[in-house]
Amino acid sequence: MLNFNTEYESILFEDSLFEDKYLSPEVQANLHEGYKLYPLRSNDFERGYLDVLSVLTEVGAHSIDTWNTQFQFMKKHNDTYFTITIMDETTNRVAATGTILIEHKFVHKNGLVGHIEDIAVDSSHQGKKLGIRIIEALKFIGQATGCYKVILDCAIKNIPFYEKCGFSPKESQMAWYI
Ligand code: ACO
C-alpha cells in the first residue's frame, strides 16, 4: 500500500474507482450549484462516505485498513462495481451515493444486467433531488456498459420514489438471511 507524507500528497495521488467517461454529463449539469458527481474515491472514507451509507443500514465499525481492503477489491473488479458519490463541495463531504453492479449472464446471448444497490442520501440533503440524480447517473452507467435491463429491490415505502425514477414493479423480492 502507498504511504503519503501529507494530506496534499494523498489527494494528489487519489484513486478513483472507475473512469470519468461513465459519469453522466447531463446529471452533472443538472445538479444544483455546490454539488458534484464523482466515482467513489480512495479518500472518501475521510469524506464521510460510510456515515452517508448508515442512513440505509448498519455499516459496522471500519478502520482505514478495512476501507482500503474493500476499495482495492472493488477497484480490481471495476468492470463490475460502479459506486458513485455526489459531493457537497462547500463542506467537502459526501452527500449521496449509489452503486450499480454489472452482472454477466449466459442468457440474452451473454447479456449484462445492472443491479442498483445501496442508494443513500445524507439526511441533511434529502428532498433536494440528489436521490433522483443518483439513479439517473446509475442508469447512464447501465446503458454505457451495455446492460439490457437495470433492476433493484426496495422497501414498499420507496416504490413511489423509484416510480418517479422510471422504474415499475415487477414480480417479487425474496431473501434468505444467514
Ligand atoms: N416516497 C414517495 N416519494 C418520494 C420518496 C418516498 N420515500 N422519496 C422521494 N420521493 C419523491 C420526492 O418527493 C421527489 O418528487 P418530485 O420530483 O415530485 O418533487 C422525487 O421523489 C425525487 O426525490 P429526491 O429529492 O431525489 O429524493 P431524496 O434525495 O430524498 O432521495 C431516498 C430519496 C434515496 C429514498 C432518500 O430519502 C434516502 O436516502 N432514504 C434513506 C435510505 C433509503 O431508503 N434508500 C433506498 C434504499 S433501496 C436501494 O438501495 C435499491
Side-chain angles (χ1 to χ4, degrees):
M1 195 176 303
L2 294 173
N3 285 317
F4 300 112
N5 292 324
T6 65
E7 195 183 333
Y8 174 72
E9 272 182 19
S10 86
I11 289 168
L12 202 63
F13 297 105
E14 185 166 21
D15 241 351
S16 287
L17 187 58
F18 57 85
E19 290 173 66
D20 283 358
K21 70 176 182 186
Y22 292 105
L23 295 178
S24 162
E26 199 181 332
V27 170
Q28 196 74 274
N30 285 336
L31 286 171
H32 291 306
E33 204 184 323
Y35 291 106
K36 199 168 169 203
L37 183 64
Y38 287 93
L40 187 71
R41 292 171 295 164
S42 51
N43 287 348
D44 284 342
F45 179 73
E46 281 88 16
R47 300 188 182 101
Y49 173 77
L50 298 176
D51 298 333
V52 177
L53 262 194
S54 71
V55 305
L56 181 66
T57 189
E58 190 211 322
V59 177
H62 275 268
S63 65
I64 188 68
D65 288 340
T66 60
W67 163 270
N68 282 331
T69 300
Q70 193 72 325
F71 183 88
Q72 289 310 327
F73 176 87
M74 291 164 77
K75 174 97 188 167
K76 208 162 75 182
H77 303 278
N78 70 355
D79 53 357
T80 303
Y81 291 92
F82 292 84
T83 296
I84 56 171
T85 61
I86 294 177
M87 288 295 298
D88 176 350
E89 296 281 274
T90 51
T91 59
N92 197 30
R93 305 279 297 172
V94 176
T97 180
T99 295
I100 184 165
L101 277 151
I102 311 299
E103 180 196 4
H104 291 243
K105 298 177 88 75
F106 280 114
V107 297
H108 288 268
K109 211 172 176 183
N110 290 353
L112 302 179
V113 173
H115 297 262
I116 286 187
E117 290 284 342
D118 295 347
I119 305 303
V121 178
D122 182 76
S123 48
S124 66
H125 295 276
Q126 288 178 10
K128 298 179 181 174
K129 306 272 186 239
L130 297 187
I132 211 164
R133 298 291 172 250
I134 286 281
I135 300 299
E136 287 166 354
L138 296 177
K139 285 164 78 178
F140 178 89
I141 295 170
Q143 282 180 312
T145 50
C147 292
Y148 72 90
K149 70 175 178 183
V150 172
I151 56 178
L152 60 87
D153 293 328
C154 74
I156 287 170
K157 71 178 166 63
N158 284 333
I159 289 175
F161 166 71
Y162 287 110
E163 284 178 329
K164 286 194 169 157
C165 297
F167 287 77
S168 36
K170 182 124 197 302
E171 302 176 5
S172 301
Q173 176 200 33
M174 307 282 280
W176 180 59
Y177 286 89
I178 299 164

